[in-house]
Amino acid sequence: MSRLPDPVRAAAVRAVVLVAVTLVLVMIAVLCSLAMVWLALPMVLAAVASTVVTTWGVLDVWVTRQMWVQRNGVVSTPGSVARERGPFRRGRRAPSPGETGGREVREAS
């Protein structure tokens, strides 16, 4: 498996940390709510705010990857549009004078 570009990897690490913190906040909010502790309301508010920030962080990974691909080209994989041309393009040859019907064929440069 190929390595992620540095900006994309950094965004992914940020997103994973944000998801982990959000899960911890949600768990604390649930436990405080079940125990009917005064800390339940602040934890629920913090969990909601953290969910918004985490959503931004996860979307940041996607946006960063799209920007990197746009600036640096598509990574060539079998399913990619950047793969090598098929044998049709590679095997093209110049037609002989008899095949052109008397017309002159220009070579593409």
Side-chain angles (χ1 to χ4, degrees):
M1 184 173 174
S2 64
R3 198 172 130 154
L4 287 174
D6 287 341
V8 179
R9 189 171 55 249
V13 168
R14 272 193 311 267
V16 167
V17 170
L18 288 172
V19 168
V21 169
T22 300
L23 289 175
V24 168
L25 285 175
V26 167
M27 185 56 70
I28 292 172
V30 167
L31 292 175
C32 287
S33 297
L34 290 175
M36 294 190 184
V37 180
W38 65 270
L39 196 58
L41 180 63
M43 282 293 112
V44 168
L45 294 177
V48 169
S50 180
T51 302
V52 172
V53 172
T54 300
T55 304
W56 169 84
V58 171
L59 285 176
D60 183 46
V61 175
W62 180 69
V63 170
T64 304
R65 182 183 175 278
Q66 294 299 322
M67 286 175 45
W68 190 89
V69 167
Q70 188 175 28
R71 291 178 183 167
N72 300 306
V74 180
V75 177
S76 185
T77 60
S80 171
V81 294
R83 65 177 175 256
E84 239 183 87
R85 300 281 184 187
F88 174 74
R89 297 280 295 194
R90 210 175 314 138
R92 186 176 284 178
R93 61 176 180 81
S96 62
E99 292 176 323
T100 61
R103 293 176 295 171
E104 188 177 11
V105 177
R106 292 184 186 160
E107 284 289 324
S109 53

